[in-house]
Amino acid sequence: MALSFAKHPSLVAYVTCGDPDLATTREIVLAAIGAGAEVVELGVPFSDPLADGPVIQRASERALRRGTALADVLQLAKEVRKQSQAGLIIFSYLNPILRMGLAKFAAVAQDAGVDGALITDLPVEEGDTYLAEMRKRNLATIFLAAPTSPDDRLKQIAQVSTGFVYAVSRTGVTGARKQLPDDARDMVRRVRKYTKLPVAVGFGISTPEQFAAVGEFAEAAVVGSAIVETIERNHGKEAEAVAEFIRELTVVSRRSSARTDLRKSR
Amino acid sequence: MATSRVPSANTRSLDSAIRLRGKRTAPLGMTESGSTRKSAGRFGPYGGRYVPETLMAALQELERQYEKAKRDRKFQARLDELLRTYAGRPTPLFFAQRLTRRLGGAKIYLKREDLLHTGAHKINNCLGQALLAERMGKRRIIAETGAGQHGVATATVCALFGFECVVYMGTEDMRRQELNVFRMRLLGAEVRGVESGSRTLKDAINEAMRDWVTNVRSTHYLLGSVLGAHPYPTMVRDFHKVIGREARAQILKAEGKLPAAIIACVGGGSNAIGIFHEFLKDKKVRLVGVEAGGRGDALGEHAARFRGGSPGVLQGSYSYVLQDAAGQIATTHSVSAGLDYPSIGPEHAWLRDSGRAEYVPASDEEALAGCTLLARTEGIIPALESAHAVAEVVKRAPKMENSEIVIVNISGRGDKDMGILKEKLKLD
């Protein structure tokens, strides 16, 4: 079932497509789903990833050297969809989508069996045509909510979001951090004032403890740079390494949620 | 597959919002009035605000503060005072008699922005934004720089205001503009080299935006051209409009009539928009922007966005962009670091599409020749950026009548380019 968030928390896994190559990305995505990722964000590499830290910048450069384009990512999604029912989100900067054309993008994405998209540099004010095209194709539009967003912006973000809301845990670019900021919980609480949609928390989550902690207050945790770094460090055995990383990442939270389930059944 | 989707909590209000929308010019859809969401800062379809959500509140706050400052007489008086006593305004409008005679044709005047403190027009905008940062209580300033002129101007105002200053600069540009790197450091700024991409201006902006998205609560991003997300293209333009205001009054005083044409180089386009703006309503004055034609017509060999570029979004703004078929931003080349950028200010895109301004390329070689010519006829060594505007007047003036006047904006001086000029001109 697409975009379901059954676990506590569910894992939303990000990969930069085409790093190290598209065939390997496909294996990685399937391995990630096999290891427990419920939603996969298929990252479209972009030449100017200004919201990303060094790990995803390097991955994007590697993918672009191989000529990976948005059309390839959509084709990849189509192939993954044949083998899996997991949620698939296109995660991109605006320009590659604009170049393809918003209407065409939505049509091809729907045909590929994609569930929705998140465009990093498209705030709600600029999204009308995009929203209309995506609605026509019954595709989810996920927007970022930031710790700097005042309440009136959170309200607008909630209004146009479908699928889930992506709460950015802290100011900054993507990349692993040692500590989950204290205000992540508060951030999610603020978002929930305006929406009943599931909330996924992202930016900086890389350890089993952080992952489990997010489960206490959000439906899902997004893990990106830590997965991309695992891919970078395990040349030739990327898919297994990512599966192993995900199993370790989720072990603490699964143990504690198993306990919760046990208590419930008693 | 994908049978049950989590529904929007607000499907109804969204649907009605979509129905309410009428015609629009922006290809991405500006929201018509009546909706709660409004796209801001449009020039025709161009401009807007395409940034990660984390920066939106800061941009809206900057816009509010700028609107307030614009109406605040004290703010304007302080800016005018600094422009006069610190930057050296007004700058002269100089009749280039020997160049005019040499080219035979239109009478050529030079607007001498190169005589400003720090050596280029950039200081106009830096003083304005420094005053704004002070108003907003932000005492850490970041900036990007290509040629180093904006970096030097930023480092200068930060020294003047006592701000902490970090300047991002591509390592390729640091190599090309070594002297400016040293000047910034001498002024107390930290210069951070950027190794990503083509290691030029575009990459420096990416890195500055990454810093800003991280430190947005304490930091003001002092963007140096009419680029980026709203309100920057409008605000930076407004701080440079003084160039055109002065030039218009000066030419009327000197000649009793308006020029037939104004020529300025266009990287992001701040000096050009600054001198053009006061003349927009004078429909008979031709406005000519000169882009970097580089060393060839192939993608990657030049930075002429109107020759081979197409509309797209880069670094916060919808404008003409040099890009490939998949929407990846192309690398660019120009002998002048300040013009070496794959996009152009959104207002220029609109001036071009609406036909009010025209844009032409000048090659590396033509710019170098223009630089030498101006040095030897008038004793003025222009920056390599401004030399592109000189190259265009060399082509255009001979075809014009003796009774016609043309103003060339000499946006900066060439001192910073001695290294590259020495290498290219081989005069030893």
Side-chain angles (χ1 to χ4, degrees), chain A residues 1-3 45-50 52 57 64 81 85 94-95 98-99 115 120-121 123-126 128-129 135 138 144 146 148-149 153 157-158 160 162 171-173 197, chain B residues 1-2 4-8 10 14 21 24 28-29 31 37-39 42 48-50 52-54 56-57 60 202 206 210 213-214 217 310 312-313 323-325 327-329:
Chain A
M1 223 188 287
L3 297 190
F46 184 52
S47 52
D48 295 82
L50 54 79
D52 285 300
Q57 286 177 48
L64 288 175
R81 180 52 84 217
Q85 296 302 302
L94 178 59
N95 202 53
L98 213 50
R99 186 71 171 171
D115 298 296
T120 319
D121 52 350
V124 290
E125 285 85 345
E126 312 289 358
D128 281 12
T129 309
R135 294 291 177 268
N138 200 26
L144 299 171
T148 50
S149 310
R153 293 198 59 80
I157 289 161
V160 295
T162 51
T171 62
V173 292
L197 289 174
Chain B
M1 180 206 313
S4 83
R5 211 172 288 279
V6 183
S8 159
N10 299 288
L14 182 83
R21 246 175 289 122
R24 71 173 72 83
L28 294 172
T31 309
R37 303 187 309 274
K38 280 201 192 93
S39 171
R42 292 283 174 178
R49 191 136 60 186
Y50 299 92
E53 174 61 24
T54 306
M56 284 301 287
Q60 289 175 330
K202 166 179 84 94
N206 286 336
R210 290 182 188 118
V213 89
T214 308
R217 289 177 171 119
S310 52
V313 165
Q323 55 182 322
D324 70 11
Q328 303 297 340
I329 308 308

Coordinates of all heavy atoms in Angstrom, one line a residue, chain A residues 1-3 45-50 52 57 64 81 85 94-95 98-99 115 120-121 123-126 128-129 135 138 144 146 148-149 153 157-158 160 162 171-173 197, chain B residues 1-2 4-8 10 14 21 24 28-29 31 37-39 42 48-50 52-54 56-57 60 202 206 210 213-214 217 310 312-313 323-325 327-329:
Chain A
M1 N 0.8 -1.2 0.0 CA 0.0 0.0 0.0 C 0.9 1.3 0.0 O 1.8 1.3 0.8 CB -0.9 0.0 1.3 CG -2.3 0.4 1.0 SD -3.2 0.6 2.5 CE -3.3 -1.1 3.0
A2 N 0.6 2.2 -0.8 CA 1.5 3.4 -1.0 C 1.3 4.4 0.1 O 0.2 4.6 0.7 CB 1.2 4.0 -2.3
L3 N 2.4 5.0 0.5 CA 2.5 6.0 1.5 C 1.7 5.6 2.8 O 0.9 6.4 3.3 CB 2.0 7.3 1.0 CG 2.8 7.9 -0.1 CD1 2.3 9.3 -0.4 CD2 4.3 7.9 0.2
P45 N 19.5 13.9 -9.3 CA 20.7 14.7 -9.1 C 20.6 16.0 -9.9 O 20.0 16.1 -10.9 CB 21.8 13.8 -9.8 CG 21.1 12.9 -10.7 CD 19.7 12.7 -10.1
F46 N 21.2 17.1 -9.2 CA 21.1 18.4 -9.8 C 22.5 19.1 -9.7 O 23.2 18.9 -8.8 CB 20.0 19.3 -9.1 CG 19.8 20.6 -9.7 CD1 19.6 20.8 -11.1 CD2 19.9 21.8 -8.9 CE1 19.4 22.1 -11.6 CE2 19.7 23.0 -9.5 CZ 19.5 23.2 -10.8
S47 N 22.8 19.9 -10.7 CA 24.1 20.5 -10.8 C 24.4 21.5 -9.7 O 25.5 21.7 -9.3 CB 24.2 21.2 -12.2 OG 23.1 22.1 -12.3
D48 N 23.3 22.1 -9.1 CA 23.5 23.1 -8.1 C 22.6 22.8 -6.9 O 21.7 23.6 -6.6 CB 23.1 24.5 -8.7 CG 24.1 24.8 -9.8 OD1 24.0 24.4 -10.9 OD2 25.1 25.5 -9.5
P49 N 23.0 21.8 -6.1 CA 22.2 21.4 -5.0 C 22.4 22.2 -3.8 O 23.0 21.8 -2.8 CB 22.6 19.9 -4.8 CG 24.0 19.9 -5.2 CD 24.2 20.9 -6.3
L50 N 21.8 23.4 -3.8 CA 22.1 24.4 -2.7 C 21.5 24.1 -1.4 O 21.9 24.8 -0.4 CB 21.8 25.8 -3.2 CG 20.4 26.2 -3.7 CD1 19.5 26.4 -2.6 CD2 20.5 27.4 -4.6
D52 N 21.8 21.0 -0.1 CA 22.4 19.8 0.3 C 23.8 20.0 0.9 O 24.6 20.8 0.4 CB 22.5 18.8 -0.8 CG 21.1 18.2 -1.1 OD1 20.5 17.6 -0.2 OD2 20.5 18.4 -2.2
Q57 N 26.0 16.4 -2.2 CA 26.6 17.1 -3.3 C 27.5 16.1 -4.1 O 27.5 16.1 -5.3 CB 27.5 18.2 -2.8 CG 26.7 19.4 -2.3 CD 27.7 20.5 -1.8 OE1 28.7 20.8 -2.4 NE2 27.4 21.0 -0.6
L64 N 25.7 12.7 -12.0 CA 25.7 13.6 -13.2 C 26.8 13.3 -14.2 O 26.6 13.4 -15.4 CB 25.7 15.1 -12.8 CG 24.4 15.6 -12.2 CD1 24.6 17.1 -11.7 CD2 23.3 15.5 -13.1
R81 N 8.6 -0.1 -9.3 CA 7.1 -0.3 -9.0 C 6.7 -1.7 -9.5 O 5.8 -2.3 -8.8 CB 6.3 0.8 -9.8 CG 4.8 0.7 -9.6 CD 4.4 0.6 -8.1 NE 4.3 1.8 -7.5 CZ 4.7 2.0 -6.2 NH1 5.2 1.1 -5.5 NH2 4.5 3.2 -5.6
Q85 N 5.5 -2.5 -3.8 CA 4.4 -1.7 -3.5 C 4.7 -0.5 -2.6 O 3.9 0.2 -2.1 CB 3.2 -2.5 -2.9 CG 2.6 -3.5 -3.8 CD 2.1 -2.9 -5.1 OE1 1.3 -2.0 -5.1 NE2 2.7 -3.3 -6.2
L94 N 13.7 22.1 -8.6 CA 12.7 22.5 -9.6 C 13.1 22.4 -11.0 O 12.4 22.0 -11.9 CB 12.1 23.9 -9.2 CG 11.1 24.4 -10.2 CD1 9.8 23.5 -10.2 CD2 10.6 25.8 -9.7
N95 N 14.3 22.9 -11.3 CA 14.7 23.1 -12.7 C 14.6 21.9 -13.6 O 14.0 22.0 -14.7 CB 16.0 23.8 -12.9 CG 16.1 24.5 -14.2 OD1 15.2 25.3 -14.6 ND2 17.1 24.2 -15.0
L98 N 11.0 21.5 -14.4 CA 10.5 22.6 -15.2 C 10.9 22.4 -16.7 O 10.2 22.6 -17.6 CB 11.1 23.9 -14.7 CG 10.4 25.2 -14.8 CD1 9.0 25.0 -14.2 CD2 11.2 26.2 -14.1
R99 N 12.1 21.9 -16.8 CA 12.6 21.7 -18.2 C 11.8 20.6 -18.9 O 11.6 20.6 -20.1 CB 14.1 21.3 -18.1 CG 14.8 21.1 -19.4 CD 15.1 22.5 -20.0 NE 15.9 22.3 -21.2 CZ 16.2 23.2 -22.1 NH1 15.7 24.4 -21.9 NH2 17.0 23.0 -23.1
D115 N 4.2 7.8 -6.3 CA 3.1 8.3 -5.4 C 3.0 9.8 -5.3 O 2.0 10.3 -4.9 CB 3.3 7.6 -4.1 CG 3.1 6.1 -4.2 OD1 2.1 5.7 -4.5 OD2 4.2 5.4 -3.9
T120 N 12.5 20.6 -3.5 CA 13.2 21.3 -2.5 C 13.1 22.9 -2.6 O 12.9 23.5 -1.5 CB 14.7 21.0 -2.6 OG1 14.8 19.7 -2.9 CG2 15.4 21.4 -1.3
D121 N 13.2 23.4 -3.8 CA 13.2 24.9 -3.9 C 11.9 25.4 -4.5 O 11.9 26.4 -5.2 CB 14.4 25.3 -4.7 CG 14.5 24.6 -6.1 OD1 13.7 23.6 -6.3 OD2 15.3 25.0 -6.9
P123 N 8.6 26.8 -2.8 CA 7.8 27.1 -1.7 C 6.3 27.2 -2.1 O 6.1 27.3 -3.3 CB 8.3 28.4 -1.2 CG 9.0 29.0 -2.4 CD 9.4 27.9 -3.3
V124 N 5.4 27.2 -1.2 CA 4.0 27.1 -1.5 C 3.5 28.2 -2.4 O 2.7 28.0 -3.3 CB 3.1 27.1 -0.2 CG1 3.3 25.7 0.5 CG2 3.4 28.2 0.7
E125 N 4.1 29.4 -2.3 CA 3.7 30.6 -3.1 C 3.8 30.3 -4.6 O 3.1 30.9 -5.4 CB 4.5 31.8 -2.7 CG 4.2 32.4 -1.4 CD 4.9 31.8 -0.2 OE1 5.4 30.7 -0.4 OE2 4.9 32.4 0.8
E126 N 4.8 29.5 -4.9 CA 5.1 29.4 -6.4 C 4.6 28.1 -6.9 O 4.9 27.8 -8.1 CB 6.7 29.4 -6.6 CG 7.4 30.5 -5.8 CD 7.2 31.9 -6.5 OE1 6.4 32.0 -7.5 OE2 7.7 32.9 -5.9
D128 N 1.3 26.9 -7.7 CA 0.0 26.7 -8.2 C -0.2 25.7 -9.4 O -1.0 24.8 -9.4 CB -0.7 28.0 -8.5 CG -1.2 28.6 -7.2 OD1 -0.8 28.2 -6.1 OD2 -2.0 29.6 -7.2
T129 N 0.6 26.0 -10.4 CA 0.5 25.2 -11.6 C 0.9 23.7 -11.3 O 0.3 22.8 -11.8 CB 1.4 25.8 -12.8 OG1 1.1 27.1 -12.9 CG2 1.1 25.0 -14.1
R135 N -2.5 17.3 -8.9 CA -3.8 16.8 -8.5 C -4.5 16.1 -9.7 O -5.2 15.1 -9.4 CB -4.7 18.1 -8.1 CG -4.2 18.8 -6.9 CD -4.4 18.0 -5.6 NE -3.9 18.8 -4.5 CZ -2.7 18.7 -4.1 NH1 -1.8 17.8 -4.6 NH2 -2.3 19.4 -3.1
N138 N -3.5 12.7 -9.5 CA -3.7 12.0 -8.3 C -2.3 11.7 -7.6 O -2.1 10.6 -7.0 CB -4.5 10.7 -8.4 CG -5.1 10.3 -7.1 OD1 -5.3 11.1 -6.2 ND2 -5.3 9.0 -7.0
L144 N 8.0 21.0 2.4 CA 8.8 21.1 3.6 C 8.2 22.1 4.5 O 7.7 23.2 4.1 CB 10.3 21.6 3.2 CG 11.1 20.8 2.2 CD1 12.3 21.5 1.8 CD2 11.5 19.4 2.9
A146 N 9.7 24.2 7.9 CA 11.0 24.5 8.5 C 10.8 25.1 9.9 O 9.7 25.6 10.2 CB 11.7 25.5 7.6
T148 N 12.0 27.6 10.9 CA 11.9 29.1 10.8 C 10.5 29.5 10.3 O 10.2 30.7 10.2 CB 12.9 29.6 9.9 OG1 12.9 28.9 8.6 CG2 14.3 29.6 10.5
S149 N 9.7 28.5 9.8 CA 8.4 28.9 9.3 C 7.5 29.4 10.4 O 7.2 28.6 11.3 CB 7.7 27.7 8.6 OG 8.6 27.0 7.7
R153 N 2.7 30.4 7.8 CA 3.3 29.6 6.7 C 3.0 28.1 6.9 O 2.7 27.4 5.9 CB 4.8 29.8 6.6 CG 5.2 31.2 6.1 CD 6.6 31.3 5.6 NE 6.8 30.4 4.5 CZ 6.5 30.6 3.3 NH1 6.0 31.8 3.0 NH2 6.7 29.8 2.3
I157 N 1.3 25.6 4.3 CA 2.0 24.4 3.9 C 1.1 23.2 4.1 O 1.0 22.3 3.2 CB 3.3 24.2 4.7 CG1 4.4 25.3 4.2 CG2 3.9 22.8 4.6 CD1 5.5 25.5 5.2
A158 N 0.4 23.2 5.2 CA -0.5 22.1 5.5 C -1.6 22.1 4.5 O -2.1 21.0 4.1 CB -1.1 22.3 6.9
V160 N -1.7 22.8 1.3 CA -1.3 22.3 0.0 C -0.6 20.9 0.0 O -0.4 20.3 -1.0 CB -0.5 23.3 -0.8 CG1 -1.3 24.5 -1.1 CG2 0.8 23.6 -0.1
T162 N -0.2 17.0 0.5 CA -0.9 15.7 0.6 C 0.1 14.6 0.8 O 1.3 14.8 0.5 CB -1.7 15.5 -0.7 OG1 -0.8 15.6 -1.9 CG2 -2.9 16.4 -0.9
T171 N 17.6 24.2 11.1 CA 18.1 25.0 9.9 C 19.4 24.4 9.4 O 20.1 23.8 10.2 CB 18.4 26.5 10.4 OG1 19.4 26.5 11.3 CG2 17.1 27.2 10.9
G172 N 19.6 24.5 8.1 CA 20.8 24.0 7.6 C 20.6 23.1 6.4 O 19.5 22.9 5.9
V173 N 21.7 22.6 5.9 CA 21.7 21.7 4.7 C 21.5 20.3 5.2 O 21.6 20.0 6.4 CB 22.9 21.9 3.8 CG1 23.0 23.3 3.2 CG2 24.2 21.6 4.6
L197 N -2.4 15.1 8.5 CA -1.5 14.2 7.7 C -0.4 13.7 8.6 O 0.0 14.3 9.6 CB -0.9 15.0 6.6 CG -1.7 15.5 5.4 CD1 -0.9 16.4 4.5 CD2 -2.2 14.3 4.7
Chain B
M1 N -1.9 -1.4 -7.1 CA -0.8 -0.5 -6.9 C -1.4 0.9 -6.5 O -2.3 1.4 -7.1 CB -0.1 -0.4 -8.2 CG 1.1 0.6 -8.2 SD 1.5 1.2 -9.8 CE 1.5 -0.2 -10.8
A2 N -0.8 1.4 -5.5 CA -1.1 2.8 -5.0 C -2.6 3.0 -4.9 O -3.2 3.9 -5.4 CB -0.6 3.8 -6.0
S4 N -4.7 2.9 -2.0 CA -5.2 3.8 -1.0 C -4.1 4.9 -0.7 O -3.0 4.6 -0.3 CB -5.6 3.1 0.3 OG -4.5 2.8 1.1
R5 N -4.5 6.1 -0.9 CA -3.6 7.2 -0.7 C -4.0 8.0 0.5 O -5.2 8.1 0.7 CB -3.6 8.0 -2.0 CG -2.4 8.7 -2.3 CD -2.5 9.4 -3.7 NE -2.6 8.4 -4.7 CZ -1.5 7.9 -5.3 NH1 -0.3 8.2 -4.8 NH2 -1.5 7.0 -6.2
V6 N -3.1 8.5 1.2 CA -3.5 9.3 2.3 C -4.1 10.6 1.8 O -3.5 11.3 1.0 CB -2.3 9.7 3.2 CG1 -2.8 10.5 4.4 CG2 -1.6 8.4 3.7
P7 N -5.4 10.9 2.1 CA -6.0 12.1 1.5 C -5.5 13.4 2.1 O -5.0 13.4 3.2 CB -7.5 11.9 1.7 CG -7.5 11.1 3.0 CD -6.3 10.2 3.0
S8 N -5.6 14.5 1.4 CA -5.3 15.8 1.9 C -6.3 16.1 3.0 O -7.5 15.8 2.9 CB -5.4 16.8 0.8 OG -5.6 18.1 1.4
N10 N -7.2 19.0 3.5 CA -7.8 20.2 3.1 C -8.2 20.2 1.6 O -8.0 21.1 0.9 CB -6.9 21.4 3.3 CG -6.6 21.5 4.8 OD1 -7.4 21.9 5.6 ND2 -5.4 21.2 5.2
L14 N -8.4 23.4 -1.3 CA -7.4 23.4 -2.4 C -8.1 23.4 -3.7 O -7.8 24.2 -4.6 CB -6.5 22.1 -2.3 CG -5.5 22.1 -3.4 CD1 -4.3 23.0 -3.0 CD2 -5.1 20.7 -3.7
R21 N -8.5 30.3 -9.8 CA -7.4 30.9 -10.6 C -7.8 31.2 -12.1 O -8.5 30.4 -12.7 CB -6.2 30.0 -10.6 CG -5.1 30.6 -9.9 CD -3.9 29.6 -9.8 NE -4.3 28.6 -8.9 CZ -4.3 27.3 -9.2 NH1 -4.0 26.9 -10.4 NH2 -4.6 26.4 -8.3
R24 N -2.9 33.6 -16.3 CA -1.7 34.1 -15.7 C -0.6 34.1 -16.7 O -0.7 33.5 -17.7 CB -1.3 33.2 -14.5 CG -0.8 31.8 -15.0 CD -0.2 31.1 -13.8 NE -1.3 30.6 -12.9 CZ -2.0 29.5 -13.2 NH1 -1.7 28.8 -14.2 NH2 -3.0 29.2 -12.4
L28 N 4.8 29.1 -14.1 CA 4.7 28.3 -12.9 C 3.4 28.7 -12.1 O 3.1 28.0 -11.1 CB 5.9 28.5 -12.0 CG 7.1 28.0 -12.6 CD1 8.3 28.3 -11.8 CD2 7.0 26.5 -12.8
G29 N 2.8 29.7 -12.5 CA 1.6 30.1 -11.8 C 1.7 31.0 -10.6 O 2.1 30.6 -9.6
T31 N -0.1 33.2 -8.0 CA -1.5 33.2 -7.5 C -2.2 34.5 -7.7 O -1.6 35.5 -7.4 CB -1.4 32.8 -6.0 OG1 -0.6 31.6 -5.9 CG2 -2.8 32.5 -5.5
R37 N -2.0 32.6 -0.9 CA -0.6 32.5 -1.3 C -0.3 33.4 -2.4 O -1.0 33.4 -3.4 CB -0.3 31.0 -1.7 CG -0.7 30.0 -0.6 CD -0.2 28.6 -1.1 NE -0.6 28.3 -2.4 CZ -1.8 27.8 -2.7 NH1 -2.7 27.5 -1.7 NH2 -2.1 27.5 -3.9
K38 N 0.7 34.2 -2.3 CA 1.0 35.2 -3.3 C 2.5 35.0 -3.7 O 3.3 35.1 -2.9 CB 0.7 36.6 -2.9 CG -0.7 37.0 -3.0 CD -0.8 38.5 -3.0 CE -2.3 38.9 -2.8 NZ -2.6 39.2 -1.4
S39 N 2.7 34.9 -5.0 CA 4.0 34.9 -5.5 C 4.4 36.4 -5.6 O 3.6 37.3 -5.9 CB 4.1 34.4 -6.9 OG 5.3 34.6 -7.5
R42 N 7.7 39.8 -9.3 CA 7.7 39.4 -10.7 C 8.0 40.5 -11.6 O 7.5 41.7 -11.4 CB 6.3 38.8 -11.0 CG 6.0 37.5 -10.3 CD 6.8 36.3 -11.0 NE 6.6 35.1 -10.2 CZ 7.1 33.9 -10.5 NH1 7.8 33.8 -11.6 NH2 6.8 32.9 -9.8
G48 N 10.3 36.0 -8.9 CA 9.7 35.0 -7.9 C 10.7 34.7 -6.8 O 11.7 35.4 -6.5
R49 N 10.3 33.6 -6.1 CA 11.1 33.3 -4.9 C 11.2 31.8 -4.8 O 10.3 31.1 -4.3 CB 10.3 33.9 -3.7 CG 11.1 33.9 -2.4 CD 10.9 35.2 -1.7 NE 9.6 35.6 -1.3 CZ 9.2 36.7 -0.8 NH1 10.2 37.6 -0.5 NH2 8.0 37.0 -0.5
Y50 N 12.2 31.2 -5.4 CA 12.4 29.7 -5.4 C 13.5 29.3 -4.5 O 14.6 29.1 -4.9 CB 12.6 29.2 -6.8 CG 11.5 29.6 -7.7 CD1 11.5 30.8 -8.5 CD2 10.4 28.8 -7.9 CE1 10.4 31.1 -9.3 CE2 9.3 29.1 -8.7 CZ 9.3 30.3 -9.4 OH 8.3 30.6 -10.2
P52 N 14.5 27.0 -0.6 CA 14.0 26.1 0.5 C 13.2 26.8 1.5 O 13.5 28.0 1.8 CB 15.3 25.5 1.1 CG 16.3 25.7 0.0 CD 16.0 26.9 -0.7
E53 N 12.2 26.2 2.0 CA 11.3 26.8 3.0 C 12.0 27.5 4.2 O 11.6 28.5 4.6 CB 10.4 25.7 3.5 CG 9.4 26.1 4.7 CD 8.5 27.2 4.3 OE1 8.2 27.4 3.1 OE2 8.0 27.9 5.2
T54 N 13.1 26.9 4.6 CA 13.9 27.5 5.7 C 14.2 29.0 5.5 O 14.3 29.7 6.5 CB 15.2 26.7 6.0 OG1 14.8 25.3 6.1 CG2 15.9 27.2 7.2
M56 N 12.4 31.1 3.6 CA 11.3 32.0 3.3 C 11.0 33.1 4.3 O 10.7 34.2 3.9 CB 10.0 31.1 3.0 CG 10.1 30.4 1.7 SD 10.2 31.4 0.3 CE 8.6 32.2 0.2
A57 N 11.0 32.7 5.5 CA 10.7 33.7 6.6 C 11.7 34.9 6.6 O 11.3 36.0 6.7 CB 10.6 33.1 7.9
Q60 N 11.0 37.1 3.6 CA 9.8 38.0 3.9 C 10.1 39.1 4.9 O 9.6 40.2 4.7 CB 8.6 37.1 4.4 CG 8.1 36.2 3.2 CD 7.0 35.2 3.7 OE1 7.0 34.8 4.8 NE2 6.1 34.9 2.8
K202 N 28.7 31.1 -9.6 CA 27.6 30.2 -9.4 C 27.8 29.4 -8.1 O 26.9 29.2 -7.3 CB 27.3 29.4 -10.6 CG 26.3 28.2 -10.4 CD 26.1 27.5 -11.7 CE 27.2 26.5 -12.0 NZ 26.9 25.1 -11.6
N206 N 25.9 29.2 -4.4 CA 25.4 27.9 -3.7 C 25.9 27.8 -2.3 O 25.2 27.5 -1.4 CB 25.9 26.7 -4.5 CG 25.1 26.5 -5.8 OD1 24.0 27.0 -6.0 ND2 25.7 25.8 -6.7
R210 N 24.0 27.9 1.3 CA 24.1 26.8 2.3 C 24.4 27.4 3.7 O 23.9 27.0 4.7 CB 25.2 25.8 1.9 CG 24.7 25.0 0.7 CD 25.8 23.9 0.3 NE 25.4 23.3 -0.9 CZ 26.1 23.3 -2.1 NH1 27.3 23.9 -2.1 NH2 25.7 22.8 -3.2
V213 N 21.2 29.2 4.9 CA 20.1 28.3 5.3 C 20.5 27.7 6.7 O 19.6 27.4 7.5 CB 19.9 27.2 4.3 CG1 20.8 26.0 4.5 CG2 18.4 26.8 4.2
T214 N 21.8 27.7 7.1 CA 22.2 27.2 8.4 C 22.1 28.3 9.4 O 21.8 28.0 10.6 CB 23.7 26.7 8.2 OG1 23.7 25.7 7.1 CG2 24.1 25.9 9.5
R217 N 19.2 32.8 11.2 CA 18.6 33.6 12.3 C 19.6 34.7 12.7 O 19.1 35.8 13.1 CB 18.3 32.7 13.5 CG 17.1 31.8 13.3 CD 16.9 30.9 14.5 NE 15.6 30.2 14.4 CZ 15.5 28.9 14.3 NH1 16.6 28.1 14.4 NH2 14.4 28.3 14.2
S310 N 17.6 29.5 -21.9 CA 16.2 29.4 -22.0 C 15.7 29.6 -20.6 O 16.4 29.4 -19.6 CB 15.8 28.0 -22.5 OG 16.4 27.0 -21.8
G312 N 14.4 29.2 -16.9 CA 14.5 28.2 -15.9 C 14.7 28.8 -14.6 O 14.7 30.0 -14.4
V313 N 14.9 28.0 -13.6 CA 15.0 28.4 -12.2 C 16.4 28.1 -11.7 O 16.8 26.9 -11.7 CB 14.0 27.8 -11.2 CG1 14.4 28.1 -9.8 CG2 12.6 28.5 -11.5
Q323 N 21.5 26.1 -19.8 CA 21.2 24.7 -19.3 C 21.2 23.7 -20.4 O 21.1 24.0 -21.6 CB 19.9 24.7 -18.5 CG 18.7 25.2 -19.4 CD 17.4 25.3 -18.6 OE1 17.1 24.4 -17.8 NE2 16.6 26.3 -18.9
D324 N 21.3 22.4 -20.0 CA 21.2 21.4 -21.0 C 19.8 20.9 -21.1 O 18.9 21.4 -20.5 CB 22.2 20.2 -20.7 CG 21.9 19.4 -19.5 OD1 20.7 19.6 -19.0 OD2 22.7 18.6 -19.0
A325 N 19.6 19.9 -22.0 CA 18.2 19.4 -22.3 C 17.6 18.8 -21.1 O 16.3 18.7 -21.0 CB 18.3 18.3 -23.4
G327 N 17.8 20.0 -18.0 CA 17.7 21.0 -17.0 C 18.8 21.2 -16.0 O 18.7 21.8 -14.9
Q328 N 20.0 20.6 -16.4 CA 21.2 20.8 -15.5 C 21.8 22.1 -16.0 O 21.9 22.4 -17.2 CB 22.2 19.6 -15.7 CG 21.6 18.3 -15.4 CD 21.1 18.1 -13.9 OE1 21.6 18.9 -13.0 NE2 20.3 17.2 -13.7
I329 N 22.3 22.8 -15.0 CA 22.9 24.1 -15.3 C 24.3 24.0 -16.0 O 25.1 23.2 -15.6 CB 23.1 25.0 -14.1 CG1 21.7 25.0 -13.3 CG2 23.6 26.4 -14.4 CD1 20.5 25.5 -14.1

